[in-house]
Amino acid sequence: MLFDRDGTLIRDVPYNGDPNRVEPMPGALEALGRLRRADVPVAVVTNQSGVAKGLVSPDEMDQVNAKVEELLGPFDAWAICVHDDADGCTCRKPAPGLVIRAAAVLDVSPRDCVVVGDIGRDMEAARAAGARGILVPTALTLPEEIEHAPEVADDLIDVVDRVLTDAEGPVPAGARISAPWARTMGWSRW
C-alpha cells in the first residue's frame, strides 16, 4: 500500500522542516501496524515542493521523514518528488511517477497497488498509474475531489478494513500466491 505523507499519515503542516511538528493522523499507527502484521508492504509517495522552493532543505526533509518513521515505524519504500509544479517532472503527483517508482521498489506492478491520499492529486496519480485509489478526506479536501474520487474512506482504519477484507476473498482459479501479502496487493511482477 502506498500512502501520501502530509494530510494522510501525518498532520499537514505546510512546508514542514521541523521534525518536532510531526504528528500522526488519527489511526495511522494502528492502520500501519495491521498492514505490517498481515505482511503487506507499506510505502510513502509524497510531493515535497518546499525543497524546490527553498523553503525546506533536503536535510530538513530527511529529518521530518526520519521522525515519521520513528513515530509510525519503518516503510518498505519512500518515493519523494522534490520538484515544483513548474518543473514539469513526471514524478510529481498527479503524474504517476511516484507510484511507479514505489511499485518498482516493492517489485509489484502499479496496477496492483493501493494509493491512499487526502487530495485529488493523490487519486489522479493512482489513476494515471493504473492503481486503486482511496481518498481519506480532511477539512482541506475539496468537495469536487471527494465527488471525483474512485473510492472514499472515513479514515485510515476504514481503508485497512476494506483492503484486508478484499484480501480475504476467494483466490482466482490458477492464481499462484507467492507472498502472504499477495492477496491484499493483487501481487504480480511487471
Side-chain angles (χ1 to χ4, degrees):
M1 288 192 58
L2 314 180
F3 292 88
D4 172 56
R5 190 187 83 175
D6 303 316
T8 303
L9 289 175
I10 63 171
R11 299 246 182 235
D12 188 5
V13 176
Y15 309 115
N16 183 23
D18 181 356
N20 293 319
R21 297 184 71 193
V22 173
E23 180 185 346
M25 291 294 282
L29 185 60
E30 179 186 343
L32 291 166
R34 287 179 58 200
L35 291 170
R36 290 178 180 122
R37 285 189 299 279
D39 291 323
V40 176
V42 290
V44 177
V45 290
T46 181
N47 288 346
Q48 294 300 316
S49 64
V51 174
K53 294 175 180 176
L55 301 172
V56 177
S57 74
D59 183 59
E60 289 169 329
M61 179 189 68
D62 290 343
Q63 289 177 39
V64 167
N65 292 340
K67 184 68 170 189
V68 171
E69 286 206 332
E70 177 186 320
L71 296 173
L72 296 177
F75 290 88
D76 299 296
W78 283 79
I80 304 168
C81 175
V82 296
H83 303 108
D84 200 359
D85 282 332
D87 294 332
C89 72
T90 59
C91 58
R92 184 166 172 75
K93 294 181 284 183
L98 293 178
V99 175
I100 292 167
R101 187 182 322 155
V105 171
L106 298 176
D107 195 25
V108 298
S109 168
R111 293 182 310 274
D112 297 327
C113 291
V114 177
V115 177
V116 182
D118 65 314
I119 61 173
R121 280 179 177 255
D122 301 319
M123 298 303 98
E124 291 171 39
R127 187 176 299 115
R132 176 181 177 184
I134 303 178
L135 184 75
V136 180
T138 67
L140 300 177
T141 309
L142 301 175
E144 56 268 21
E145 292 174 323
I146 298 169
E147 181 182 325
H148 291 104
E151 194 171 343
V152 179
D154 295 330
D155 53 31
L156 293 174
I157 301 300
D158 185 21
V159 169
V160 172
D161 287 344
R162 291 169 187 233
V163 171
L164 293 181
T165 298
D166 291 350
E168 294 169 1
V171 176
R176 297 182 68 205
I177 303 298
S178 55
W181 50 268
R183 292 177 67 175
T184 300
M185 296 294 284
W187 184 87
S188 67
R189 293 188 184 274
W190 58 306

